[in-house]
Each structure stands twice: as C-alpha cells, then as structure tokens.
Amino acid sequence: MATSSFSREFVLSKEAAEIICEELDKQTESYVPKKDMHEELKKGEEVFKRLLPHL
C-alpha cells in the first residue's frame, strides 16, 4: 500500500497495512461531553439577564 503526503511518499508492507486497517475498524467509545451545553447556555442566559435587565 502506498500513500503520499505533501512532500513524501510512504510505502507500507502488507502486514503494516493490515494492522492499520484493523485498528481503524475497531469501535471507539462515544464522546461524552464534560459539561451539559444546555445547562451552560441556561446559566449564561441568566447571567446576561442579570447584567442587562433593560433588554
């Protein structure tokens, strides 16, 4: 398997290509955000309303 980048060409052995393909096919854990964005937006809206009560 051969692939190229902007300045180099890489040639992989069949075994290396198979290992890479196996790793890419593995299932990964779903991303779980550290913060609840709806809750963060709600907090921001409350702060905004408190700072600018005339709006």
Side-chain angles (χ1 to χ4, degrees):
M1 177 178 166
T3 184
S4 61
S5 68
F6 291 109
S7 61
R8 294 183 180 173
E9 183 174 293
F10 299 94
V11 179
L12 302 174
S13 67
K14 184 177 180 180
E15 294 82 20
E18 288 174 355
I19 291 170
I20 290 173
C21 289
E22 287 173 9
E23 290 298 317
L24 291 174
D25 285 340
K26 286 183 179 177
Q27 292 289 330
T28 58
E29 293 180 18
S30 297
Y31 174 72
V32 178
K34 295 179 181 176
K35 294 185 178 184
D36 179 15
M37 290 309 296
H38 293 290
E39 186 64 33
E40 293 298 312
L41 289 170
K42 194 176 188 182
K43 287 179 189 176
E45 185 178 341
E46 290 170 4
V47 170
F48 186 73
K49 287 179 181 177
R50 195 168 54 234
L51 292 175
L52 300 171
H54 300 292
L55 292 178

